[in-house]
Amino acid sequence: MSVPPASPARQTRSALALWGERAVELLIRLSGVSAVLFVFGIFLFVFIEGAPLITDLDWSKAIFSPDWYPTSRENVRYGVGAMIIGTLSVTGLAMVIAVPFGLGAAFFVSEFCSGTLRETLKVVIELLAAIPSIVWGFIGLSVVNHLIQRFLPAPVGLNLLNAALLLALMSVPIIVSIGEDALKAVPDSYREAALALGATRWQIAWRVLLPAARNGLLAAVLLGVGRAIGETMAVLMATGHAVNIPTSLFDPIRTLTATIAAELGETAVGSPHYRMLFLIGLMLFTITFAVNLLADLAVRGVRRQ
Amino acid sequence: MVTPTPKISVENLRLSYGHKEVLHGVSFAIAPNEILAVIGPAQSGKTSLLRCINRTVEFTPGAVMSGTVRVDGEDLMRMADVYGLRRRIGMVAPLPVGLPLTIYDNVAFAPRCAGLTAKAELDARVETCLRQAALWDEVKDRLDSLGTKLSGGQQQRLTIARALSHDPEILCLDEFSIAIDPVTTMRIEDVLQELRAHVTIVLVTNLTQQARRLADRTMFLWNGDIVEMADTDVIFGDTPRDRRTFDYVNGVFG
Ligand SMILES: Nc1ncnc2c1ncn2[C@@H]1O[C@H](COP(=O)(O)OP(=O)(O)OP(=O)(O)O)[C@@H](O)[C@H]1O
Ligand SMILES: [Mg+2]
């Protein structure tokens, strides 16, 4: 093949194209870096607001003590132990409910149904994801509250179980839609190869799709966890908002997020109470970071196997 | 030729994907322990034909199959246990599909699906199949690494080992040697020769020499129709019945 001599016009075009490519590359890099910058910026802001209190605080008490008396006259105590336990227990319980349901539904939608049923389910699930959390709070306050009081031996209906149910309902749609995407990303050739080897649909789901889509499914679960940990309004309304270390499903609790939401407006800017709330924000940061890190390590560990 | 019950008999098989018919009523029979080569230009329906035999074609939305396919005289479409059917057939696809599992698990997949759990038995099965696929020596030290990390030719042999892992009565090979070097191909062909003692083989291939070396009979499929099916010597000889066969085999096809 003979190469035609490059005309001047061609050359300038290619130089332009080169610059264009560089510009696009720069843009992409910038948007990548900006994501990191934003996260870091938010962290820094929260940190700066809370920082002056860091050295004054008795940390072991702050983290482990259940005594939260931020406005007490004679003996102010900032113990968030009960709230940490509250947040972890409500999130944990929500995940115990949401993960099997969510992943099960993801498998059902992606592998076991087709046509209109599948499309309908997907629309409904997306609708479910779009319900504002304040509405979930209402549902907790009115519907779930009464149901619990009527059918379960609970003195109050606003408690750990109520909030966990709401959080589960809120995370399930996320787990389903992300999980379904992960399953859909598994090439059909895997399914057909397994089919040709005599695998049933269950065996394909269990032995092929689960390992193949493992990372995506884990991401789905993590996003569900993130949604549950970060949720504020619904838990503020449904937990009972009492500083209390729960001993049963029917105990009212309080979460870190709800505390910030409920109290930040009533503190004087710069006061120790105000700073403490920002430190609570920092704790939330740490918890989500730890969850993500653990998951990442888990995935890597599995991959190395 | 005396005809015992054919291993596979196909009558008036039609297959369409949506509105497009790709097999226009083909009929043929394969005797037990026979090796049948299927040749034909691209898009002629060779792969589709194999997918009808183990009914994986049903997996494709819009695929409609009609006519009858019998295995050991039993109508495929009336079989209640389609998984049982597939466990009697080994299938090797032209592009290797390594399941996202370890080498060991790839080969142990089908036996496990069929309910085999004994470790020693699985180990033995995996080794035998990998040996038959001429892969054992290369992977015996790293059975626990991912099958997808093997080279293209190794993956292809892995799928061959996998297809043998459930001890099939019928083996369908779809251009199995396109990614495999000639020496290794010969080793696998030798294994196929041994297997024919108890396996019926359908071999889609466009390698004239390979068909000649292995096949008892050869089918020339063209655009969804069987142009000719006869002894391999006849198809590749100077006097096939159909002019088109001669042209195709000798490379003068337009
Ligand atoms: N999943 C599918 N959906 C729709 N059409 C298909 C599908 N698979 C194959 N076809 C069509 O069926 C026809 C036959 O294809 P097939 O793969 O059986 O041919 P082939 O003889 O195996 O070709 P090749 O030699 O290229 O492998 C082609 O026209 C192809 O486009
Ligand atoms: Mg093909």
Side-chain angles (χ1 to χ4, degrees):
Chain A
M1 221 168 76
S2 72
V3 181
S7 67
R10 260 178 88 97
Q11 271 180 355
T12 49
R13 251 245 305 279
S14 70
L16 247 178
L18 199 71
W19 279 110
E21 200 166 306
R22 280 198 192 147
V24 170
E25 219 180 280
L26 193 73
L27 214 69
I28 291 172
R29 186 164 302 174
L30 271 182
S31 43
V33 171
S34 73
V36 177
L37 281 183
F38 278 131
V39 173
F40 195 70
I42 294 170
F43 182 83
L44 208 66
F45 169 74
V46 176
F47 182 79
I48 286 171
E49 290 295 319
L53 197 64
I54 290 182
T55 45
D56 296 347
L57 209 61
D58 180 350
W59 275 93
S60 65
K61 259 203 184 130
I63 291 182
F64 296 113
S65 156
D67 297 330
W68 175 253
Y69 297 108
T71 52
S72 160
R73 279 270 166 81
E74 56 272 15
N75 187 6
V76 172
R77 275 155 293 166
Y78 297 120
V80 292
M83 296 172 221
I84 292 179
I85 294 177
T87 291
L88 293 183
S89 60
V90 80
T91 308
L93 185 57
M95 285 304 119
V96 167
I97 305 168
V99 169
F101 266 99
L103 291 185
F107 269 102
F108 181 73
V109 171
S110 155
E111 305 299 320
F112 291 88
C113 68
S114 56
T116 41
L117 177 61
R118 177 194 199 138
E119 294 311 311
T120 323
L121 276 176
K122 282 174 76 167
V123 169
V124 170
I125 286 163
E126 255 140 53
L127 263 178
L128 216 60
I131 297 177
S133 58
I134 192 86
V135 175
W136 283 114
F138 265 126
I139 294 174
L141 211 54
S142 47
V143 183
V144 183
N145 186 7
H146 290 304
L147 287 177
I148 289 179
Q149 277 180 341
R150 169 165 301 185
F151 294 111
L152 294 170
V156 283
L158 299 179
N159 53 25
L160 174 58
L161 179 65
N162 188 335
L165 282 174
L166 292 189
L167 288 185
L169 281 169
M170 295 165 87
S171 345
V172 160
I174 294 178
I175 299 179
V176 178
S177 56
I178 310 264
E180 197 225 337
D181 285 346
L183 289 172
K184 221 185 312 170
V186 178
D188 266 351
S189 57
Y190 287 177
R191 296 183 178 83
E192 193 165 326
L195 214 57
L197 289 167
T200 63
R201 290 217 262 183
W202 280 109
Q203 287 169 331
I204 293 176
W206 187 247
R207 292 168 191 264
V208 178
L209 298 175
L210 205 60
R214 191 182 48 222
N215 289 356
L217 294 175
L218 195 72
V221 169
L222 269 189
L223 283 168
V225 173
R227 175 91 164 101
I229 289 185
E231 178 47 44
T232 306
M233 280 328 285
V235 289
L236 178 60
M237 293 164 84
T239 51
H241 202 57
V243 181
N244 176 30
I245 294 178
T247 53
S248 89
L249 289 181
F250 306 125
D251 281 353
I253 54 157
R254 193 198 264 213
T255 65
L256 295 168
T257 49
T259 306
I260 300 177
E263 298 182 5
L264 191 59
E266 289 158 16
T267 59
V269 175
S271 67
H273 186 190
Y274 172 88
R275 304 219 181 280
M276 188 60 212
L277 292 180
F278 274 91
L279 287 185
I280 293 181
L282 226 49
M283 289 175 197
L284 275 170
F285 238 117
T286 316
I287 292 177
T288 31
F289 185 73
V291 169
N292 274 314
L293 196 70
L294 280 181
D296 203 48
L297 290 179
V299 169
R300 260 178 233 191
V302 172
R303 218 181 270 152
R304 203 167 305 128
Q305 269 188 15
Chain B
M1 195 167 139
V2 248
T3 45
T5 318
K7 189 71 191 173
I8 305 174
S9 76
V10 174
E11 271 161 49
N12 199 23
L13 173 67
R14 289 174 186 276
L15 173 74
S16 32
Y17 295 112
H19 294 297
K20 189 167 123 208
E21 193 174 83
V22 299
L23 290 176
H24 313 295
V26 298
S27 307
F28 62 93
I30 310 174
N33 305 352
E34 181 176 8
I35 298 184
L36 174 75
V38 180
I39 60 170
Q43 311 280 294
S44 55
K46 307 180 294 293
T47 302
S48 303
L49 180 64
L50 294 190
R51 292 176 76 214
C52 288
I53 295 177
N54 73 349
R55 276 180 64 180
T56 46
V57 73
E58 289 170 14
F59 180 73
T60 306
V64 180
M65 208 173 126
S66 71
T68 44
V69 180
R70 290 196 178 85
V71 172
D72 283 336
E74 195 184 349
D75 191 340
L76 228 63
M77 303 314 289
R78 300 234 174 94
M79 272 184 199
D81 181 14
V82 65
Y83 305 111
L85 166 76
R86 291 184 186 134
R87 285 180 191 137
R88 293 160 62 189
I89 302 174
M91 180 72 76
V92 176
L95 295 176
V97 183
L99 292 172
L101 308 169
T102 65
I103 295 172
Y104 184 96
D105 289 342
N106 258 285
V107 184
F109 184 87
R112 280 180 179 151
C113 281
L116 188 67
T117 48
K119 178 89 172 82
E121 225 170 307
L122 279 173
D123 285 351
R125 189 79 73 88
V126 169
E127 180 173 343
T128 315
C129 296
L130 284 171
R131 277 188 195 283
Q132 285 177 324
L135 188 60
W136 174 253
D137 292 331
E138 288 160 51
V139 301
K140 64 173 178 238
D141 299 322
R142 48 172 175 146
L143 292 175
D144 286 336
S145 62
L146 273 181
T148 38
K149 295 240 170 83
L150 294 172
S151 76
Q154 288 175 322
Q155 286 195 42
Q156 183 62 286
R157 281 178 278 153
L158 181 62
T159 61
I160 294 173
R162 213 171 53 191
L164 296 172
S165 65
H166 45 321
D167 205 5
E169 301 159 22
I170 299 169
L171 188 58
C172 298
L173 297 157
D174 197 349
E175 312 203 33
F176 76 93
S177 59
I178 42 178
I180 303 180
D181 67 274
V183 177
T184 314
T185 303
M186 291 306 286
R187 281 169 67 194
I188 298 173
E189 284 185 15
D190 289 343
V191 172
L192 296 181
Q193 294 281 18
E194 288 164 27
L195 281 175
R196 69 185 311 170
H198 58 276
V199 179
T200 307
I201 299 176
V202 185
L203 175 73
V204 171
T205 179
N206 272 314
L207 302 175
T208 311
Q209 294 302 325
Q210 188 167 68
R212 282 192 156 168
R213 281 192 299 265
L214 292 173
D216 303 303
R217 288 188 301 159
T218 296
M219 170 199 292
F220 175 36
L221 198 64
W222 185 66
N223 256 341
D225 283 306
I226 297 176
V227 172
E228 191 170 349
M229 177 160 158
D231 286 349
T232 301
D233 293 340
V234 176
I235 295 284
F236 292 103
D238 293 329
T239 53
R241 226 179 38 224
D242 199 291
R243 176 80 207 166
R244 287 172 294 175
T245 314
F246 183 84
D247 287 350
Y248 179 73
V249 167
N250 292 285
V252 284
F253 215 65

